[in-house]
Amino acid sequence: MSLTEEILSQQPGDILAGLRKADQFWRALREGDLQIPNVVKENSLSLESLDCDVVISGGTLGILLAAALQKQGWQVSLIEKGVLRGRDQEWNISRQELKVFVELGLLTEAELENAIATEYNPARVSFHGGKDVWVRDVLNIGIDPVYLLETLKGKFLEAGGQLLENTPFDSAIVHPNGVVVEAGNKTIKTRLLIDAMGNFSPIAQQARQGEKPEGVCLVVGSCAQGYPENKIGDLIVSFTPIQNQCQYFWEAFPARDGRTTYLFTYLDADLNRPSLEFFMEEYLRLLPEYQKVELSQLKFERFLFGFFPSYRQSPLRFSFNRILPVGDSSGGQSPVSFGGFGAMVRHLQRLTNGIDEALKIEALNKDELALLQPYQPNISVTWLFQRTMSVKMNQELPPNQINDLLNSVFVAMENLGDDVLKPFLQDVVKFSGLAKTLPRVKPSLVLPIIPQVGLPMLLDWLKHYLNLAVYTGLYSVGKNFAPLMKNLPLQQQYFYHRWLDAWKYGSGKDYHS
């Protein structure tokens, strides 16, 4: 019996079966054997009536946007396949990113404080054979998802929103003036359908037509009690060289009911990549060395596992009118941080304002909605970073090449100060930070990247790097025209605001320390 079988079989619920079910999905993805859904169709006839302005499918993160739009005065229906409830494991984020909940009027200051389950300092960045880099106030806040979602749900319903739980999305028919959404035994006619169903949304899968992801982050972990030290965190740590054609990375955070630890790695979707069960075995094998604790000392509260795909052709462009992907459904998340709660919060203000304007002027065709999920060079440049942290199948690299490079990069950023280091650790890439950091990395560590990632990838990165500089300049100039734009028709203001948002977020100018 393996360690995984021994330990997971002792936990309540059939966790091992859940792990193996996820593995079947992971294998089907690698084999290109996932069934392509056909859930969206089109009809040329106009609808005689509509039930609401917006339907949002996917409640876990969709409730954030649903509550914000309902507060703006739009009639929103939120559909969720199960019961809308947050998970037990905290969502980690930085404090300044949470201000958007108060700014949008979704939470009071007191409610926001109540949503914070844990807070710790400092956090460590460390790579095998290198120097520990310490940072404060980065991803050090643990939000209680149960409290947060329950509070937002109450605000949403109080404002007149419609919540349909145990109502899975089935299909949608796009008409010239609206969308007919079939969910469970419900039929809802809406002006706009927002897809917040995540990476494996059936709408997104239909749009991608079986496209294989270029990058995948494989993650396993647990929350447990019994650790001798639980006051600090790890943002990204490695203590081993390359093995099994993977570089293993770890993170750890204090949690309300123990300590959460994760093992993750970046790889492609090659058929020969390891299974989640193998990766869980590696996690349990190495956890004692990582946390200086014996497995017998730990009381496991829960186990976590999954994989997060990322696509270079992102954000995803739907060919349908009146359907907008948000969050992980859009594919616009960084291939390094793999989206989720943090990415949704970061773009909540932008999406709320943009959707509000789009509804006001009926800017709901596919091209107008695509402006709400624009190209962002500061996300695209991270593809090279992801590739430098991964190893191709059958590729021979010096065992510590990835560790040596990452250590050099982070020590350089530490020497440049928090203005460079902190945004990068929060997945906000700025041209100024990159331009200062890159010359400080030893050429002997940079040159091996070329054969590792390939010249085409390097040239593609250079294009996005230059665009990062262009977007930085465009935002600095473009925001000065804001007073003049107030006198233009709403249609023209919509396009100006979308381009300004693209330049702002695409250059990392949305970051505030």
PDB file of all heavy atoms in Angstrom, residues 383-385 387-390 392 395 397-398 401-402 404-406 409 438 441-458 461:
ATOM      1  N   TRP A 383       4.579  34.090 -19.723  1.00  0.00           N
ATOM      2  CA  TRP A 383       4.731  32.773 -20.351  1.00  0.00           C
ATOM      3  C   TRP A 383       6.193  32.331 -20.367  1.00  0.00           C
ATOM      4  O   TRP A 383       6.498  31.157 -20.159  1.00  0.00           O
ATOM      5  CB  TRP A 383       4.165  32.791 -21.776  1.00  0.00           C
ATOM      6  CG  TRP A 383       2.737  32.383 -21.808  1.00  0.00           C
ATOM      7  CD1 TRP A 383       1.644  33.180 -21.960  1.00  0.00           C
ATOM      8  CD2 TRP A 383       2.232  31.058 -21.632  1.00  0.00           C
ATOM      9  NE1 TRP A 383       0.490  32.438 -21.896  1.00  0.00           N
ATOM     10  CE2 TRP A 383       0.818  31.136 -21.695  1.00  0.00           C
ATOM     11  CE3 TRP A 383       2.811  29.816 -21.431  1.00  0.00           C
ATOM     12  CZ2 TRP A 383      -0.007  30.013 -21.580  1.00  0.00           C
ATOM     13  CZ3 TRP A 383       1.993  28.697 -21.302  1.00  0.00           C
ATOM     14  CH2 TRP A 383       0.614  28.806 -21.378  1.00  0.00           C
ATOM     15  N   LEU A 384       7.079  33.264 -20.616  1.00  0.00           N
ATOM     16  CA  LEU A 384       8.500  32.903 -20.606  1.00  0.00           C
ATOM     17  C   LEU A 384       8.929  32.477 -19.210  1.00  0.00           C
ATOM     18  O   LEU A 384       9.695  31.521 -19.048  1.00  0.00           O
ATOM     19  CB  LEU A 384       9.358  34.082 -21.085  1.00  0.00           C
ATOM     20  CG  LEU A 384      10.856  33.785 -21.147  1.00  0.00           C
ATOM     21  CD1 LEU A 384      11.165  32.800 -22.281  1.00  0.00           C
ATOM     22  CD2 LEU A 384      11.666  35.060 -21.340  1.00  0.00           C
ATOM     23  N   PHE A 385       8.430  33.171 -18.185  1.00  0.00           N
ATOM     24  CA  PHE A 385       8.783  32.816 -16.811  1.00  0.00           C
ATOM     25  C   PHE A 385       8.303  31.398 -16.499  1.00  0.00           C
ATOM     26  O   PHE A 385       9.011  30.616 -15.854  1.00  0.00           O
ATOM     27  CB  PHE A 385       8.170  33.805 -15.816  1.00  0.00           C
ATOM     28  CG  PHE A 385       8.491  35.248 -16.113  1.00  0.00           C
ATOM     29  CD1 PHE A 385       7.630  36.261 -15.737  1.00  0.00           C
ATOM     30  CD2 PHE A 385       9.650  35.595 -16.777  1.00  0.00           C
ATOM     31  CE1 PHE A 385       7.915  37.586 -16.006  1.00  0.00           C
ATOM     32  CE2 PHE A 385       9.947  36.925 -17.060  1.00  0.00           C
ATOM     33  CZ  PHE A 385       9.072  37.921 -16.672  1.00  0.00           C
ATOM     34  N   ARG A 387       7.843  28.996 -18.609  1.00  0.00           N
ATOM     35  CA  ARG A 387       8.668  28.032 -19.341  1.00  0.00           C
ATOM     36  C   ARG A 387      10.046  27.855 -18.704  1.00  0.00           C
ATOM     37  O   ARG A 387      10.610  26.755 -18.736  1.00  0.00           O
ATOM     38  CB  ARG A 387       8.816  28.480 -20.795  1.00  0.00           C
ATOM     39  CG  ARG A 387       7.554  28.267 -21.623  1.00  0.00           C
ATOM     40  CD  ARG A 387       7.239  26.782 -21.766  1.00  0.00           C
ATOM     41  NE  ARG A 387       5.946  26.541 -22.394  1.00  0.00           N
ATOM     42  CZ  ARG A 387       5.752  26.472 -23.707  1.00  0.00           C
ATOM     43  NH1 ARG A 387       6.769  26.656 -24.531  1.00  0.00           N
ATOM     44  NH2 ARG A 387       4.555  26.243 -24.177  1.00  0.00           N
ATOM     45  N   THR A 388      10.602  28.924 -18.162  1.00  0.00           N
ATOM     46  CA  THR A 388      11.910  28.783 -17.510  1.00  0.00           C
ATOM     47  C   THR A 388      11.811  27.999 -16.207  1.00  0.00           C
ATOM     48  O   THR A 388      12.825  27.532 -15.677  1.00  0.00           O
ATOM     49  CB  THR A 388      12.538  30.158 -17.211  1.00  0.00           C
ATOM     50  OG1 THR A 388      11.688  30.890 -16.306  1.00  0.00           O
ATOM     51  CG2 THR A 388      12.735  30.963 -18.479  1.00  0.00           C
ATOM     52  N   MET A 389      10.598  27.830 -15.683  1.00  0.00           N
ATOM     53  CA  MET A 389      10.397  27.086 -14.443  1.00  0.00           C
ATOM     54  C   MET A 389       9.939  25.656 -14.708  1.00  0.00           C
ATOM     55  O   MET A 389       9.559  24.932 -13.787  1.00  0.00           O
ATOM     56  CB  MET A 389       9.375  27.817 -13.563  1.00  0.00           C
ATOM     57  CG  MET A 389       9.847  29.200 -13.129  1.00  0.00           C
ATOM     58  SD  MET A 389       8.518  30.274 -12.540  1.00  0.00           S
ATOM     59  CE  MET A 389       8.174  29.556 -10.951  1.00  0.00           C
ATOM     60  N   SER A 390       9.928  25.251 -15.980  1.00  0.00           N
ATOM     61  CA  SER A 390       9.473  23.911 -16.328  1.00  0.00           C
ATOM     62  C   SER A 390      10.507  23.207 -17.202  1.00  0.00           C
ATOM     63  O   SER A 390      11.413  23.848 -17.756  1.00  0.00           O
ATOM     64  CB  SER A 390       8.125  23.979 -17.052  1.00  0.00           C
ATOM     65  OG  SER A 390       8.229  24.713 -18.246  1.00  0.00           O
ATOM     66  N   LYS A 392      10.861  20.263 -20.352  1.00  0.00           N
ATOM     67  CA  LYS A 392      10.173  19.447 -21.346  1.00  0.00           C
ATOM     68  C   LYS A 392      10.489  17.970 -21.116  1.00  0.00           C
ATOM     69  O   LYS A 392      11.519  17.626 -20.522  1.00  0.00           O
ATOM     70  CB  LYS A 392      10.605  19.857 -22.756  1.00  0.00           C
ATOM     71  CG  LYS A 392      10.242  21.280 -23.135  1.00  0.00           C
ATOM     72  CD  LYS A 392      10.800  21.622 -24.512  1.00  0.00           C
ATOM     73  CE  LYS A 392      10.543  23.081 -24.866  1.00  0.00           C
ATOM     74  NZ  LYS A 392      11.159  23.463 -26.162  1.00  0.00           N
ATOM     75  N   GLN A 395      14.015  16.361 -21.951  1.00  0.00           N
ATOM     76  CA  GLN A 395      14.980  17.465 -22.039  1.00  0.00           C
ATOM     77  C   GLN A 395      16.003  17.324 -20.914  1.00  0.00           C
ATOM     78  O   GLN A 395      15.643  17.120 -19.753  1.00  0.00           O
ATOM     79  CB  GLN A 395      14.260  18.805 -21.929  1.00  0.00           C
ATOM     80  CG  GLN A 395      15.165  20.020 -22.133  1.00  0.00           C
ATOM     81  CD  GLN A 395      14.389  21.324 -22.076  1.00  0.00           C
ATOM     82  OE1 GLN A 395      13.488  21.504 -21.260  1.00  0.00           O
ATOM     83  NE2 GLN A 395      14.717  22.253 -22.958  1.00  0.00           N
ATOM     84  N   LEU A 397      18.616  19.002 -18.568  1.00  0.00           N
ATOM     85  CA  LEU A 397      19.058  20.275 -17.999  1.00  0.00           C
ATOM     86  C   LEU A 397      19.935  20.005 -16.785  1.00  0.00           C
ATOM     87  O   LEU A 397      19.759  18.990 -16.102  1.00  0.00           O
ATOM     88  CB  LEU A 397      17.859  21.118 -17.555  1.00  0.00           C
ATOM     89  CG  LEU A 397      16.880  21.622 -18.626  1.00  0.00           C
ATOM     90  CD1 LEU A 397      15.783  22.443 -17.961  1.00  0.00           C
ATOM     91  CD2 LEU A 397      17.584  22.445 -19.681  1.00  0.00           C
ATOM     92  N   PRO A 398      20.891  20.890 -16.488  1.00  0.00           N
ATOM     93  CA  PRO A 398      21.620  20.758 -15.222  1.00  0.00           C
ATOM     94  C   PRO A 398      20.624  20.720 -14.067  1.00  0.00           C
ATOM     95  O   PRO A 398      19.641  21.486 -14.062  1.00  0.00           O
ATOM     96  CB  PRO A 398      22.482  22.035 -15.178  1.00  0.00           C
ATOM     97  CG  PRO A 398      22.645  22.425 -16.615  1.00  0.00           C
ATOM     98  CD  PRO A 398      21.372  22.032 -17.288  1.00  0.00           C
ATOM     99  N   GLN A 401      19.582  24.125 -12.562  1.00  0.00           N
ATOM    100  CA  GLN A 401      19.513  25.293 -13.456  1.00  0.00           C
ATOM    101  C   GLN A 401      18.350  26.219 -13.101  1.00  0.00           C
ATOM    102  O   GLN A 401      18.517  27.448 -13.030  1.00  0.00           O
ATOM    103  CB  GLN A 401      19.373  24.850 -14.915  1.00  0.00           C
ATOM    104  CG  GLN A 401      19.216  26.028 -15.889  1.00  0.00           C
ATOM    105  CD  GLN A 401      19.301  25.596 -17.338  1.00  0.00           C
ATOM    106  OE1 GLN A 401      20.287  24.981 -17.736  1.00  0.00           O
ATOM    107  NE2 GLN A 401      18.283  25.912 -18.126  1.00  0.00           N
ATOM    108  N   ILE A 402      17.190  25.655 -12.863  1.00  0.00           N
ATOM    109  CA  ILE A 402      16.013  26.482 -12.560  1.00  0.00           C
ATOM    110  C   ILE A 402      16.192  27.177 -11.218  1.00  0.00           C
ATOM    111  O   ILE A 402      15.920  28.384 -11.074  1.00  0.00           O
ATOM    112  CB  ILE A 402      14.742  25.621 -12.584  1.00  0.00           C
ATOM    113  CG1 ILE A 402      14.500  25.099 -14.002  1.00  0.00           C
ATOM    114  CG2 ILE A 402      13.537  26.414 -12.083  1.00  0.00           C
ATOM    115  CD1 ILE A 402      13.373  24.093 -14.120  1.00  0.00           C
ATOM    116  N   ASP A 404      18.999  27.989  -9.691  1.00  0.00           N
ATOM    117  CA  ASP A 404      20.042  29.017  -9.767  1.00  0.00           C
ATOM    118  C   ASP A 404      19.519  30.291 -10.436  1.00  0.00           C
ATOM    119  O   ASP A 404      19.802  31.405  -9.980  1.00  0.00           O
ATOM    120  CB  ASP A 404      21.249  28.488 -10.547  1.00  0.00           C
ATOM    121  CG  ASP A 404      22.016  27.419  -9.783  1.00  0.00           C
ATOM    122  OD1 ASP A 404      21.839  27.327  -8.550  1.00  0.00           O
ATOM    123  OD2 ASP A 404      22.788  26.671 -10.423  1.00  0.00           O
ATOM    124  N   LEU A 405      18.753  30.114 -11.506  1.00  0.00           N
ATOM    125  CA  LEU A 405      18.205  31.274 -12.208  1.00  0.00           C
ATOM    126  C   LEU A 405      17.223  32.032 -11.316  1.00  0.00           C
ATOM    127  O   LEU A 405      17.299  33.265 -11.191  1.00  0.00           O
ATOM    128  CB  LEU A 405      17.505  30.829 -13.491  1.00  0.00           C
ATOM    129  CG  LEU A 405      16.779  31.931 -14.273  1.00  0.00           C
ATOM    130  CD1 LEU A 405      17.761  32.966 -14.782  1.00  0.00           C
ATOM    131  CD2 LEU A 405      15.971  31.341 -15.421  1.00  0.00           C
ATOM    132  N   LEU A 406      16.298  31.312 -10.688  1.00  0.00           N
ATOM    133  CA  LEU A 406      15.298  31.974  -9.858  1.00  0.00           C
ATOM    134  C   LEU A 406      15.936  32.657  -8.652  1.00  0.00           C
ATOM    135  O   LEU A 406      15.525  33.757  -8.257  1.00  0.00           O
ATOM    136  CB  LEU A 406      14.252  30.958  -9.399  1.00  0.00           C
ATOM    137  CG  LEU A 406      13.330  30.434 -10.505  1.00  0.00           C
ATOM    138  CD1 LEU A 406      12.435  29.326  -9.965  1.00  0.00           C
ATOM    139  CD2 LEU A 406      12.480  31.547 -11.093  1.00  0.00           C
ATOM    140  N   VAL A 409      17.382  35.935  -9.857  1.00  0.00           N
ATOM    141  CA  VAL A 409      16.339  36.925 -10.164  1.00  0.00           C
ATOM    142  C   VAL A 409      15.774  37.539  -8.888  1.00  0.00           C
ATOM    143  O   VAL A 409      15.643  38.767  -8.767  1.00  0.00           O
ATOM    144  CB  VAL A 409      15.211  36.272 -10.993  1.00  0.00           C
ATOM    145  CG1 VAL A 409      13.993  37.190 -11.068  1.00  0.00           C
ATOM    146  CG2 VAL A 409      15.701  35.941 -12.395  1.00  0.00           C
ATOM    147  N   LEU A 438      16.446  42.636 -15.092  1.00  0.00           N
ATOM    148  CA  LEU A 438      17.102  41.778 -16.075  1.00  0.00           C
ATOM    149  C   LEU A 438      18.603  42.033 -16.207  1.00  0.00           C
ATOM    150  O   LEU A 438      19.386  41.080 -16.293  1.00  0.00           O
ATOM    151  CB  LEU A 438      16.399  41.914 -17.428  1.00  0.00           C
ATOM    152  CG  LEU A 438      14.960  41.386 -17.467  1.00  0.00           C
ATOM    153  CD1 LEU A 438      14.331  41.624 -18.830  1.00  0.00           C
ATOM    154  CD2 LEU A 438      14.921  39.903 -17.115  1.00  0.00           C
ATOM    155  N   VAL A 441      20.803  40.107 -13.638  1.00  0.00           N
ATOM    156  CA  VAL A 441      20.881  38.643 -13.620  1.00  0.00           C
ATOM    157  C   VAL A 441      22.113  38.216 -14.407  1.00  0.00           C
ATOM    158  O   VAL A 441      22.362  38.700 -15.511  1.00  0.00           O
ATOM    159  CB  VAL A 441      19.613  38.014 -14.225  1.00  0.00           C
ATOM    160  CG1 VAL A 441      19.703  36.489 -14.182  1.00  0.00           C
ATOM    161  CG2 VAL A 441      18.377  38.493 -13.470  1.00  0.00           C
ATOM    162  N   LYS A 442      22.885  37.295 -13.852  1.00  0.00           N
ATOM    163  CA  LYS A 442      24.141  36.883 -14.478  1.00  0.00           C
ATOM    164  C   LYS A 442      23.907  36.307 -15.878  1.00  0.00           C
ATOM    165  O   LYS A 442      23.046  35.441 -16.059  1.00  0.00           O
ATOM    166  CB  LYS A 442      24.826  35.818 -13.617  1.00  0.00           C
ATOM    167  CG  LYS A 442      25.253  36.300 -12.244  1.00  0.00           C
ATOM    168  CD  LYS A 442      25.847  35.145 -11.438  1.00  0.00           C
ATOM    169  CE  LYS A 442      26.240  35.590 -10.032  1.00  0.00           C
ATOM    170  NZ  LYS A 442      26.772  34.458  -9.235  1.00  0.00           N
ATOM    171  N   PRO A 443      24.652  36.773 -16.883  1.00  0.00           N
ATOM    172  CA  PRO A 443      24.501  36.222 -18.240  1.00  0.00           C
ATOM    173  C   PRO A 443      24.698  34.712 -18.301  1.00  0.00           C
ATOM    174  O   PRO A 443      24.067  34.023 -19.101  1.00  0.00           O
ATOM    175  CB  PRO A 443      25.588  36.956 -19.028  1.00  0.00           C
ATOM    176  CG  PRO A 443      25.822  38.230 -18.278  1.00  0.00           C
ATOM    177  CD  PRO A 443      25.611  37.887 -16.831  1.00  0.00           C
ATOM    178  N   SER A 444      25.563  34.195 -17.434  1.00  0.00           N
ATOM    179  CA  SER A 444      25.813  32.748 -17.434  1.00  0.00           C
ATOM    180  C   SER A 444      24.575  31.957 -17.036  1.00  0.00           C
ATOM    181  O   SER A 444      24.462  30.764 -17.343  1.00  0.00           O
ATOM    182  CB  SER A 444      26.965  32.421 -16.472  1.00  0.00           C
ATOM    183  OG  SER A 444      26.638  32.806 -15.140  1.00  0.00           O
ATOM    184  N   LEU A 445      23.629  32.616 -16.342  1.00  0.00           N
ATOM    185  CA  LEU A 445      22.383  31.962 -15.967  1.00  0.00           C
ATOM    186  C   LEU A 445      21.285  32.199 -16.998  1.00  0.00           C
ATOM    187  O   LEU A 445      20.350  31.410 -17.110  1.00  0.00           O
ATOM    188  CB  LEU A 445      21.915  32.471 -14.598  1.00  0.00           C
ATOM    189  CG  LEU A 445      22.837  32.180 -13.416  1.00  0.00           C
ATOM    190  CD1 LEU A 445      22.327  32.857 -12.159  1.00  0.00           C
ATOM    191  CD2 LEU A 445      22.956  30.670 -13.192  1.00  0.00           C
ATOM    192  N   VAL A 446      21.399  33.303 -17.736  1.00  0.00           N
ATOM    193  CA  VAL A 446      20.384  33.655 -18.724  1.00  0.00           C
ATOM    194  C   VAL A 446      20.571  32.870 -20.023  1.00  0.00           C
ATOM    195  O   VAL A 446      19.609  32.400 -20.639  1.00  0.00           O
ATOM    196  CB  VAL A 446      20.398  35.171 -19.005  1.00  0.00           C
ATOM    197  CG1 VAL A 446      19.440  35.518 -20.146  1.00  0.00           C
ATOM    198  CG2 VAL A 446      20.025  35.942 -17.744  1.00  0.00           C
ATOM    199  N   LEU A 447      21.819  32.715 -20.478  1.00  0.00           N
ATOM    200  CA  LEU A 447      22.092  32.079 -21.774  1.00  0.00           C
ATOM    201  C   LEU A 447      21.530  30.653 -21.888  1.00  0.00           C
ATOM    202  O   LEU A 447      21.008  30.279 -22.948  1.00  0.00           O
ATOM    203  CB  LEU A 447      23.591  32.091 -22.060  1.00  0.00           C
ATOM    204  CG  LEU A 447      24.194  33.481 -22.343  1.00  0.00           C
ATOM    205  CD1 LEU A 447      25.700  33.390 -22.511  1.00  0.00           C
ATOM    206  CD2 LEU A 447      23.551  34.099 -23.583  1.00  0.00           C
ATOM    207  N   PRO A 448      21.587  29.832 -20.824  1.00  0.00           N
ATOM    208  CA  PRO A 448      21.005  28.486 -20.941  1.00  0.00           C
ATOM    209  C   PRO A 448      19.491  28.476 -21.154  1.00  0.00           C
ATOM    210  O   PRO A 448      18.917  27.441 -21.519  1.00  0.00           O
ATOM    211  CB  PRO A 448      21.369  27.827 -19.598  1.00  0.00           C
ATOM    212  CG  PRO A 448      22.561  28.575 -19.109  1.00  0.00           C
ATOM    213  CD  PRO A 448      22.350  29.979 -19.562  1.00  0.00           C
ATOM    214  N   ILE A 449      18.837  29.626 -20.917  1.00  0.00           N
ATOM    215  CA  ILE A 449      17.389  29.693 -21.126  1.00  0.00           C
ATOM    216  C   ILE A 449      17.038  29.478 -22.595  1.00  0.00           C
ATOM    217  O   ILE A 449      16.004  28.889 -22.926  1.00  0.00           O
ATOM    218  CB  ILE A 449      16.849  31.065 -20.657  1.00  0.00           C
ATOM    219  CG1 ILE A 449      16.925  31.181 -19.145  1.00  0.00           C
ATOM    220  CG2 ILE A 449      15.414  31.281 -21.136  1.00  0.00           C
ATOM    221  CD1 ILE A 449      16.499  32.529 -18.620  1.00  0.00           C
ATOM    222  N   ILE A 450      17.917  29.944 -23.505  1.00  0.00           N
ATOM    223  CA  ILE A 450      17.593  29.903 -24.936  1.00  0.00           C
ATOM    224  C   ILE A 450      17.321  28.478 -25.410  1.00  0.00           C
ATOM    225  O   ILE A 450      16.268  28.212 -25.978  1.00  0.00           O
ATOM    226  CB  ILE A 450      18.700  30.591 -25.754  1.00  0.00           C
ATOM    227  CG1 ILE A 450      18.826  32.056 -25.331  1.00  0.00           C
ATOM    228  CG2 ILE A 450      18.406  30.474 -27.250  1.00  0.00           C
ATOM    229  CD1 ILE A 450      19.972  32.798 -25.985  1.00  0.00           C
ATOM    230  N   PRO A 451      18.231  27.517 -25.166  1.00  0.00           N
ATOM    231  CA  PRO A 451      17.893  26.146 -25.586  1.00  0.00           C
ATOM    232  C   PRO A 451      16.777  25.533 -24.750  1.00  0.00           C
ATOM    233  O   PRO A 451      16.053  24.648 -25.219  1.00  0.00           O
ATOM    234  CB  PRO A 451      19.209  25.381 -25.395  1.00  0.00           C
ATOM    235  CG  PRO A 451      20.008  26.194 -24.443  1.00  0.00           C
ATOM    236  CD  PRO A 451      19.626  27.611 -24.678  1.00  0.00           C
ATOM    237  N   GLN A 452      16.621  25.981 -23.499  1.00  0.00           N
ATOM    238  CA  GLN A 452      15.577  25.416 -22.644  1.00  0.00           C
ATOM    239  C   GLN A 452      14.182  25.770 -23.157  1.00  0.00           C
ATOM    240  O   GLN A 452      13.307  24.919 -23.253  1.00  0.00           O
ATOM    241  CB  GLN A 452      15.727  25.903 -21.204  1.00  0.00           C
ATOM    242  CG  GLN A 452      14.655  25.345 -20.254  1.00  0.00           C
ATOM    243  CD  GLN A 452      14.741  25.944 -18.858  1.00  0.00           C
ATOM    244  OE1 GLN A 452      15.686  26.646 -18.521  1.00  0.00           O
ATOM    245  NE2 GLN A 452      13.740  25.672 -18.034  1.00  0.00           N
ATOM    246  N   VAL A 453      13.960  27.051 -23.499  1.00  0.00           N
ATOM    247  CA  VAL A 453      12.617  27.489 -23.905  1.00  0.00           C
ATOM    248  C   VAL A 453      12.463  27.568 -25.414  1.00  0.00           C
ATOM    249  O   VAL A 453      11.341  27.562 -25.932  1.00  0.00           O
ATOM    250  CB  VAL A 453      12.269  28.855 -23.270  1.00  0.00           C
ATOM    251  CG1 VAL A 453      12.388  28.799 -21.767  1.00  0.00           C
ATOM    252  CG2 VAL A 453      13.132  29.975 -23.837  1.00  0.00           C
ATOM    253  N   GLY A 454      13.582  27.672 -26.133  1.00  0.00           N
ATOM    254  CA  GLY A 454      13.525  27.774 -27.586  1.00  0.00           C
ATOM    255  C   GLY A 454      13.536  29.216 -28.056  1.00  0.00           C
ATOM    256  O   GLY A 454      12.969  30.105 -27.413  1.00  0.00           O
ATOM    257  N   LEU A 455      14.180  29.460 -29.198  1.00  0.00           N
ATOM    258  CA  LEU A 455      14.293  30.812 -29.736  1.00  0.00           C
ATOM    259  C   LEU A 455      12.934  31.424 -30.088  1.00  0.00           C
ATOM    260  O   LEU A 455      12.706  32.610 -29.818  1.00  0.00           O
ATOM    261  CB  LEU A 455      15.218  30.810 -30.959  1.00  0.00           C
ATOM    262  CG  LEU A 455      15.587  32.185 -31.527  1.00  0.00           C
ATOM    263  CD1 LEU A 455      16.268  33.050 -30.476  1.00  0.00           C
ATOM    264  CD2 LEU A 455      16.494  32.023 -32.757  1.00  0.00           C
ATOM    265  N   PRO A 456      11.982  30.673 -30.692  1.00  0.00           N
ATOM    266  CA  PRO A 456      10.678  31.276 -30.993  1.00  0.00           C
ATOM    267  C   PRO A 456       9.987  31.835 -29.749  1.00  0.00           C
ATOM    268  O   PRO A 456       9.396  32.917 -29.793  1.00  0.00           O
ATOM    269  CB  PRO A 456       9.888  30.109 -31.595  1.00  0.00           C
ATOM    270  CG  PRO A 456      10.928  29.216 -32.184  1.00  0.00           C
ATOM    271  CD  PRO A 456      12.088  29.305 -31.247  1.00  0.00           C
ATOM    272  N   MET A 457      10.047  31.103 -28.629  1.00  0.00           N
ATOM    273  CA  MET A 457       9.438  31.585 -27.394  1.00  0.00           C
ATOM    274  C   MET A 457      10.126  32.866 -26.916  1.00  0.00           C
ATOM    275  O   MET A 457       9.475  33.817 -26.459  1.00  0.00           O
ATOM    276  CB  MET A 457       9.510  30.507 -26.316  1.00  0.00           C
ATOM    277  CG  MET A 457       9.170  30.975 -24.908  1.00  0.00           C
ATOM    278  SD  MET A 457       7.457  31.472 -24.668  1.00  0.00           S
ATOM    279  CE  MET A 457       6.658  29.882 -24.545  1.00  0.00           C
ATOM    280  N   LEU A 458      11.451  32.913 -27.049  1.00  0.00           N
ATOM    281  CA  LEU A 458      12.198  34.086 -26.609  1.00  0.00           C
ATOM    282  C   LEU A 458      11.845  35.308 -27.456  1.00  0.00           C
ATOM    283  O   LEU A 458      11.657  36.415 -26.934  1.00  0.00           O
ATOM    284  CB  LEU A 458      13.701  33.799 -26.691  1.00  0.00           C
ATOM    285  CG  LEU A 458      14.611  34.690 -25.833  1.00  0.00           C
ATOM    286  CD1 LEU A 458      14.255  34.581 -24.361  1.00  0.00           C
ATOM    287  CD2 LEU A 458      16.068  34.307 -26.054  1.00  0.00           C
ATOM    288  N   TRP A 461       8.423  36.477 -26.506  1.00  0.00           N
ATOM    289  CA  TRP A 461       8.493  37.211 -25.249  1.00  0.00           C
ATOM    290  C   TRP A 461       8.972  38.640 -25.484  1.00  0.00           C
ATOM    291  O   TRP A 461       8.454  39.592 -24.870  1.00  0.00           O
ATOM    292  CB  TRP A 461       9.448  36.506 -24.281  1.00  0.00           C
ATOM    293  CG  TRP A 461       9.649  37.286 -23.017  1.00  0.00           C
ATOM    294  CD1 TRP A 461       8.845  37.265 -21.913  1.00  0.00           C
ATOM    295  CD2 TRP A 461      10.708  38.204 -22.729  1.00  0.00           C
ATOM    296  NE1 TRP A 461       9.338  38.123 -20.957  1.00  0.00           N
ATOM    297  CE2 TRP A 461      10.483  38.710 -21.426  1.00  0.00           C
ATOM    298  CE3 TRP A 461      11.821  38.652 -23.433  1.00  0.00           C
ATOM    299  CZ2 TRP A 461      11.327  39.639 -20.827  1.00  0.00           C
ATOM    300  CZ3 TRP A 461      12.669  39.577 -22.834  1.00  0.00           C
ATOM    301  CH2 TRP A 461      12.425  40.061 -21.551  1.00  0.00           C
TER     302      TRP A 461
END
